[in-house]
Amino acid sequence: MHRPTSYCVSLFSNCRATLILALALLLAYSSSSLAAPKPTNRVAIVIDSSGSYRERQAEAVDRTVALLEGMATVELQRWEKGMDQIALISLDALPEVIWQGSLRELKALDRKAIMARFKVRTDYAGCTDVTAAFRQAARFLEGDPRYTHKYLFAFSDLLAEPPADSLSKCRKPQPIPEDFPWEALKDIRDIKVLWVPPDQKL
């Protein structure tokens, strides 16, 4: 039995329209999936909050702001966009992110407020878990290095004295712990370590 010619033409037109729509959707999906994400800067700032550095946290923040502003002038020129993220990480017995925001917010942050964030952590100030602090930094800095520009600033002598069986009892100090997360930090664009004594640098 032969179909009417008009039916075949209609069927062909419908198939062609469906095929064109499918191709258009495929191209749209491919374009969106291949579009590169916008580049962002992520900065992890590890600040020693042990007793010996108790009065220097605000100084560390000021030094960081100066460093970032210098980088923006010379190299990046995009820190004030509000897209970039900065994290302050306490280096103590139980390191954690104690503040996160943009450079603009960091510049506007009252230094007394920063000191207060460290002050409430005095129970953790007896020991310094260097490995845990840098793992926190690595987690914050996660992202495709092609689009995420990663920076790490550390204000510490980097002497590792992690807690033993309590927060007030630390393990024997060692310059660089054996379990330091080197691999997790390998794609960081720029690393600056300050407050390190000469012997520890060596």
Side-chain angles (χ1 to χ4, degrees), residues 30-43:
S30 298
S31 298
S32 62
S33 62
L34 293 176
K38 292 182 179 179
T40 59
N41 296 306
R42 293 181 76 83
V43 184

Side-chain angles (χ1 to χ4, degrees), residues 127-196:
C127 305
T128 49
D129 193 336
V130 170
T131 295
F134 280 83
R135 283 179 178 159
Q136 284 277 358
R139 280 193 289 272
F140 174 75
L141 294 172
E142 285 179 352
D144 191 329
R146 293 175 298 174
Y147 311 113
T148 304
H149 297 171
K150 307 175 185 183
Y151 301 86
L152 173 60
F153 300 152
F155 295 84
S156 171
D157 58 12
L158 295 185
L159 280 175
E161 297 180 78
D165 53 1
S166 73
L167 293 177
S168 60
K169 184 177 180 180
C170 311
R171 297 178 191 170
K172 183 179 178 181
Q174 54 180 318
I176 296 293
E178 294 180 358
D179 58 351
F180 191 85
W182 298 108
E183 186 67 20
L185 303 172
K186 66 181 182 180
D187 62 356
I188 295 179
R189 177 170 180 159
D190 192 4
I191 298 178
K192 288 180 170 51
V193 182
L194 302 96
W195 299 355
V196 180

